[in-house]
């Protein structure tokens, strides 16, 4: 039985899942939850932090910056983010105030990767226009090619930009669709992974599962964009530095893509210049796009992506890719974001050694 921690106060800016929060309560932590659908105003986060909470549980909706760390000076000991992405947390500020923050890697990799693939199929095989046709009673007659056709995935080339965990999981799932891959990552090349994928593609061919030998290759960003029938984005949002990803997909890069190609984004909204994308869709520079993330979330009512003219070619989802029941709520830190978030929070608050050794602490550099 672990020693109880009655004096530890946690403020969760969102109900990340009752069972997971109960893990903290059972440990004796005092847990207060902001139980609304909307995120709390920043002023409330500041108020709670000023009141001396030891830990914040945050989501990607909460701006966590110098103001928050200043308010928690001497008391705030950890920010546990219920997401793998953490671009809402200012790392330099966290480091300056020596506050560790954690994220939820691994647990949402598979859910996000499979959703990216479903989005890809949904936009290219026109699942939404087809269902709408039936629901709106506009399905006049079966016809070989009217009122529209979709584009097959099988046999095509998929461009994967970003070869981290989610990009790799996406490739592992997509390879069964008998496709070629063109990949690009500006920071590293996972050679061992790429060789294993090629071996798998070769095995599928030698076993007679595919008529043609399929390949996986790395290429420059331009060559991936120019050579792919689908482009799926799996990069973190990086606004500064040598290899920023902010507006990686813009007017110029969209024009490098084939007019028959589809763009899929499950990474972060600002990786794509949405105004440029809306124009590209309208002018048929590319065939379609499926987006789960946006520059502003929720997507503003006046977003050009909502243009009814684009409805059949732009699939829009509500930042939903990791939203599988187990992935979001499991209390198992190896399966669920909620479980991983509370585990990391406990690991930090009850750490015996250096915080640099605590798994899931993102800003380890501040504690070395
Ligand atoms: C979701 O987008 C996440 O970063 O976990």
């Amino acid at each position: 039985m672990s020693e109880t921690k009655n004096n530890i106060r946690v403020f969760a800016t969102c109900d990340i899942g009752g069972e997971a929060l109960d893990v903290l309560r059972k440990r004796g932590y005092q847990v207060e939850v902001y139980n609304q659908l909307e995120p709390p105003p920043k002023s409330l986060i500041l108020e709670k932090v000023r009141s001396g909470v030891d830990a914040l549980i945050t989501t990607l909706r909460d701006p966590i910056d110098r103001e928050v760390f200043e308010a928690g000076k001497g008391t705030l000991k950890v920010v546990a983010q219920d997401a793998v992405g953490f671009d809402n947390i200012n790392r330099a500020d966290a480091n300056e105030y020596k506050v560790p923050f954690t994220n939820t890697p691994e647990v949402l990799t598979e859910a996000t990767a499979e959703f990216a693939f479903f989005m890809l199929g949904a936009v290219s095989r026109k699942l939404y226009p087809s269902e709408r046709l039936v629901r709106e009673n506009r399905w006049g007659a079966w016809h070989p090619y009217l009122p529209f056709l979709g584009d097959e995935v099988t046999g095509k080339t998929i461009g994967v930009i970003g070869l981290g965990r989610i990009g790799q999981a996406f490739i592992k799932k997509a390879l069964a669709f008998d496709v070629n891959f063109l990949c690009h990552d500006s920071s590293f090349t996972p050679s061992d992974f790429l060789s294993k994928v090629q071996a798998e593609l070769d095995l599928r061919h030698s076993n007679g599962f595919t008529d043609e030998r399929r390949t996986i290759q790395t290429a420059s960003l331009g060559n991936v964009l120019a050579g792919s029938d689908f482009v799926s984005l799996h990069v973190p949002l990086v606004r500064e530095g040598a290899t920023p990803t902010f507006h990686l997909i813009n007017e110029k890069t969209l024009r490098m893509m084939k007019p028959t190609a589809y763009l899929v984004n499950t990474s972060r909204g600002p990786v794509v210049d949405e105004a440029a994308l809306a124009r590209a869709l309208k002018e048929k520079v590319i065939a379609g796009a499926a987006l789960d993330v946006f520059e502003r979330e929720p997507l503003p009512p006046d977003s050009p992506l909502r243009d009814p003219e684009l409805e059949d070619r732009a699939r829009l989802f509500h930042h939903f890719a990791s939203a599988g029941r187990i992935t979001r709520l499991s209390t198992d830190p190896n399966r669920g974001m909620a479980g991983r978030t509370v585990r990391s929070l406990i690991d930090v608050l009850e750490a015996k050694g250096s915080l640099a050794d605590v798994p899931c602490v993102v800003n380890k550099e501040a504690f070395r």
Side-chain angles (χ1 to χ4, degrees), residues 239-308:
R239 290 184 188 269
E240 286 156 11
T243 51
T245 58
F246 176 77
H247 284 189
L248 185 71
I249 301 299
N250 54 41
E251 186 91 46
K252 186 164 155 231
T253 48
L254 282 162
R255 289 194 182 276
M256 294 176 182
M257 291 174 66
K258 298 183 189 182
T260 48
Y262 295 88
L263 177 72
V264 176
N265 190 12
T266 50
S267 63
R268 279 293 182 265
V271 172
V272 175
D273 177 346
E274 274 170 23
L277 174 62
R279 276 195 304 277
L281 289 170
K282 206 147 180 166
E283 293 165 18
K284 309 240 167 90
V285 172
I286 63 169
L291 310 173
D292 186 50
V293 286
F294 301 91
E295 293 199 69
R296 270 183 57 206
E297 296 179 4
L299 187 65
D302 61 351
S303 163
L305 292 167
R306 292 182 186 275
D307 186 335

Side-chain angles (χ1 to χ4, degrees), residues 299-361:
L299 187 65
D302 61 351
S303 163
L305 292 167
R306 292 182 186 275
D307 186 335
E309 229 186 275
L310 304 183
E311 195 167 329
D312 287 356
R313 284 173 288 138
R315 299 279 52 79
L316 312 175
F317 301 101
H318 68 288
H319 204 143
F320 195 47
S322 65
R325 210 174 296 280
I326 296 168
T327 301
R328 282 283 168 89
L329 296 181
S330 173
T331 58
D332 180 344
N334 297 317
R335 299 187 75 201
M337 294 164 68
R340 172 49 44 208
T341 302
V342 301
R343 182 70 255 165
S344 298
L345 186 153
I346 294 167
D347 284 352
V348 170
L349 289 183
E350 301 184 20
K352 297 277 184 275
S354 163
L355 290 176
D357 297 332
V358 174
C360 294
V361 167

Side-chain angles (χ1 to χ4, degrees), residues 49-268:
V49 172
R50 261 188 219 111
S51 79
V53 297
D54 299 274
L56 276 180
I57 291 179
T58 55
T59 72
L60 46 85
R61 314 175 304 174
D62 306 312
I64 304 298
D65 56 11
R66 166 179 300 278
E67 241 188 326
V68 175
F69 296 118
E70 179 64 32
K73 211 168 169 180
T75 46
L76 184 63
K77 299 178 186 67
V78 61
V79 176
Q81 165 100 337
D82 185 43
V84 67
F86 47 80
D87 43 282
N88 58 308
I89 301 176
N90 188 310
R91 186 173 191 146
D93 293 346
N95 288 357
E96 188 182 324
Y97 284 83
K98 294 258 176 295
V99 177
F101 66 93
T102 63
N103 70 339
T104 63
E106 315 285 358
V107 291
L108 49 72
T109 301
E110 302 301 325
T112 306
E114 73 175 24
F115 198 81
F117 194 78
F118 299 152
M119 287 167 62
L120 184 155
V123 67
S124 71
R125 295 302 304 269
K126 297 207 166 16
L127 301 191
Y128 174 78
S130 167
E131 180 165 353
R132 217 183 39 205
L133 195 75
V134 176
R135 288 189 176 280
E136 294 174 1
N137 236 341
R138 291 184 293 109
W139 180 21
W142 187 93
H143 188 281
Y145 58 85
L146 293 176
F148 47 73
L149 292 173
D151 292 309
E152 300 84 349
V153 177
T154 305
K156 300 283 176 59
T157 296
I158 303 188
V160 180
I161 299 181
L163 290 171
R165 282 182 293 259
I166 299 176
Q168 292 187 21
F170 174 83
I171 290 170
K172 283 194 267 178
K173 293 181 195 308
L175 65 77
F177 273 75
D178 192 8
V179 291
N180 296 301
F181 296 99
L182 279 177
C183 308
H184 177 78
D185 192 308
S186 59
S187 52
F188 82 123
T189 305
S191 309
D192 186 44
F193 170 77
L194 297 173
S195 313
K196 285 178 179 163
V197 172
Q198 187 58 61
E200 185 95 6
L201 294 172
D202 286 343
L203 185 65
R204 287 175 54 79
H205 181 51
S206 62
N207 278 338
F209 287 8
T210 62
D211 290 343
E212 278 180 41
R213 177 177 181 262
R214 302 295 176 192
T215 59
I216 185 162
Q217 289 171 313
T218 53
S220 66
L221 177 65
N223 286 343
V224 170
L225 294 173
S228 301
D229 302 297
F230 300 91
V231 173
S232 191
L233 304 175
H234 300 283
V235 289
L237 173 60
V238 181
R239 290 184 188 269
E240 286 156 11
T243 51
T245 58
F246 176 77
H247 284 189
L248 185 71
I249 301 299
N250 54 41
E251 186 91 46
K252 186 164 155 231
T253 48
L254 282 162
R255 289 194 182 276
M256 294 176 182
M257 291 174 66
K258 298 183 189 182
T260 48
Y262 295 88
L263 177 72
V264 176
N265 190 12
T266 50
S267 63
R268 279 293 182 265

